[in-house]
Amino acid sequence: MSEQPQAHSATPTDPAPAQDKPSPLKNPKVRWTLSIIGLLVLAALLAWLAYYLLVGKYKQQTNNAYLQADAVAVAPRVNGYITEVMVQDNQWVKAGEPLVRIDPRTYRATLDQAEAVIAVREADIAAASAGVQGNQSQLVQARTQLKAAEATLRFARAEVARFGPLAASGADTHEHFESVKHDLERAQAQYDAAHSQINGAQSQIEAGQAQLAQAQAGLKQAQADAAQAKVAFEDTVLTARIDGRIGNKTAQVGQFVAAGTRLMTVVPLQSLYLSANFKETQLGRMRPGQPAEIEVDALPGTKLHGTVESISPGTGSQFALLPPQNATGNFTKVVQRIPVRIRIEADAETRKILVPGMSVEVTVDTREGAVNRNEGANAR
């Protein structure tokens, strides 16, 4: 009888105990690396804090800022039809360059008429002057005749005084004495007539001088009318008052325009400035003359420099067409904004890109204002 093999039961083997991994913080290199990083972060925080305390907190920034320019509207001072438009949209023009011409025929005729009136008034002055000179000659002649009549009158009076006693005593005839008396009366009449001629000549001179003054006044009025007509005639050609570019042009040939009608606008791009609307809480240290950094949305990555020129004397709401009335029961406090004008410092090539209305971000360094404020507080 064969022996059956005895089955041996397999005993499971126990797994080897896992070895514990060392902590990375126990590695000296890791600890040094973390210490260096921590020191760098702490140094960066201290540097940022120092920068903020010395510089950062004095810089006031806003994105509520836009480029502006004091554009000049081109409008006629006379009525008429446009006969010529000498510029195009967006064209560069210089001061004095012609822009629009209005039909000048009516104003040319008015000017010619005024100049003709001047010629008439000058002729009136010449005639009045000649009349005054003639009257003065008559006055000289009348005075000469008066002297002669006065001499004759004295002689006639002497004759009457001499022959009167002779005629009374019978030494002279009565007829001769009557003749002498007649000569005296005729001499007196001649004297009175000469005196009247002098008065008449003087009156004529005064009348002539009045006519001359009237003619001179008429000449001045005619010259004033001619000057006004000349101005109106010259106003038929509209010229640019400043250097800039043409914008918002509506003038067309054949269009009838009235005085004051806007035809186009000349924008002085070389005189652009920045209008930044800062919050009222940002203006405590802001002063004219402080430097500013400008970032234009149209020029990404480019920083321009500027200078604060002036600060508005009131908030934007105060200059609105309908200022808010806060004396009501449903009042809500809103932080107000005050416009600040900033001069832009840019080269000619950059200014060719800048146009009014562009959005910008501006940062004003108010450290100078902070120093002045601290000095004022110390003085008090």
Side-chain angles (χ1 to χ4, degrees):
M1 192 174 167
S2 60
E3 294 180 355
Q4 293 181 355
Q6 185 176 358
H8 299 282
S9 61
T11 59
T13 60
D14 294 334
Q19 298 179 355
D20 293 335
K21 292 184 179 181
S23 174
L25 296 177
K26 294 181 179 180
N27 190 337
K29 293 183 178 180
V30 174
R31 289 200 302 268
W32 277 104
T33 302
L34 292 177
S35 299
I36 292 173
I37 293 175
L39 291 175
L40 291 176
V41 171
L42 180 60
L45 291 175
L46 291 175
W48 177 85
L49 180 61
Y51 174 80
Y52 174 78
L53 293 176
L54 298 176
V55 178
K57 71 175 184 178
Y58 298 114
K59 288 192 174 182
Q60 302 298 337
Q61 184 179 12
T62 183
N63 59 359
N64 188 351
Y66 306 91
L67 295 179
Q68 293 186 2
D70 296 329
V72 176
V74 178
R77 294 196 295 180
V78 296
N79 305 329
Y81 288 94
I82 296 177
T83 59
E84 186 179 3
V85 179
M86 292 165 275
V87 292
Q88 302 296 329
D89 290 321
N90 309 323
Q91 177 181 336
W92 283 94
V93 294
K94 293 186 175 297
E97 185 174 343
L99 305 176
V100 177
R101 187 186 305 276
I102 298 176
D103 189 358
R105 292 176 296 178
T106 301
Y107 302 100
R108 176 75 260 184
T110 304
L111 178 58
D112 293 340
Q113 182 180 2
E115 291 177 347
V117 173
I118 289 178
V120 172
R121 295 294 179 262
E122 290 177 346
D124 293 342
I125 290 176
S129 299
V132 170
Q133 292 178 356
N135 294 331
Q136 290 176 347
S137 299
Q138 292 179 359
L139 178 61
V140 172
Q141 182 178 2
R143 287 175 177 174
T144 303
Q145 293 177 355
L146 178 63
K147 290 182 179 180
E150 187 178 1
T152 304
L153 180 60
R154 286 198 304 268
F155 178 76
R157 287 176 178 174
E159 289 292 310
V160 170
R162 184 169 59 251
F163 287 102
L166 295 176
S169 62
D172 191 12
T173 62
H174 182 71
E175 290 80 2
H176 183 263
F177 180 69
E178 291 295 332
S179 177
V180 171
K181 289 175 62 177
H182 177 71
D183 293 339
L184 176 60
E185 293 175 357
R186 185 171 58 184
Q188 183 67 42
Q190 291 177 353
Y191 176 82
D192 294 338
H195 196 275
S196 299
Q197 289 179 357
I198 290 177
N199 293 333
Q202 289 178 344
S203 299
Q204 290 178 357
I205 289 175
E206 292 176 356
Q209 290 177 345
Q211 292 178 355
L212 178 60
Q214 183 178 2
Q216 291 174 345
L219 176 61
K220 290 182 179 180
Q221 182 178 358
Q223 289 174 343
D225 294 340
Q228 185 176 2
K230 185 177 180 180
V231 170
F233 174 73
E234 293 175 350
D235 285 341
T236 57
V237 178
L238 279 69
T239 58
R241 301 299 180 181
I242 59 174
D243 298 343
R245 286 175 61 185
I246 298 299
N248 193 24
K249 184 177 74 68
T250 60
Q252 299 294 333
V253 175
Q255 175 185 358
F256 180 83
V257 293
T261 304
R262 180 193 292 266
L263 300 180
M264 62 188 69
T265 303
V266 180
V267 183
L269 297 181
Q270 299 301 325
S271 302
L272 283 175
Y273 62 91
L274 176 62
S275 180
N277 302 310
F278 285 94
K279 296 179 182 179
E280 56 185 325
T281 55
Q282 297 177 292
L283 294 178
R285 298 185 178 95
M286 196 168 296
R287 302 289 185 274
Q290 292 174 341
E293 291 184 356
I294 303 168
E295 296 181 8
V296 185
D297 293 353
L299 299 173
T302 302
K303 286 189 177 181
L304 304 179
H305 298 282
T307 305
V308 176
E309 283 190 339
S310 60
I311 301 175
S312 174
T315 62
S317 61
Q318 292 299 312
F319 297 110
L321 182 60
L322 297 175
Q325 178 55 262
N326 294 328
T328 57
N330 55 350
F331 166 72
T332 301
K333 182 177 180 179
V334 178
V335 177
Q336 300 297 313
R337 290 185 178 267
I338 294 119
V340 177
R341 178 166 175 158
I342 299 175
R343 183 178 66 254
I344 300 176
E345 300 171 2
D347 54 20
E349 293 300 325
T350 304
R351 289 183 179 275
K352 292 181 180 179
I353 302 175
L354 304 179
V355 295
M358 282 186 171
S359 300
V360 300
E361 292 185 7
V362 59
T363 303
V364 177
D365 189 351
T366 63
R367 281 178 290 178
E368 181 180 353
V371 173
N372 295 337
R373 185 177 180 181
N374 293 333
E375 290 177 354
N378 295 332
R380 289 193 296 271

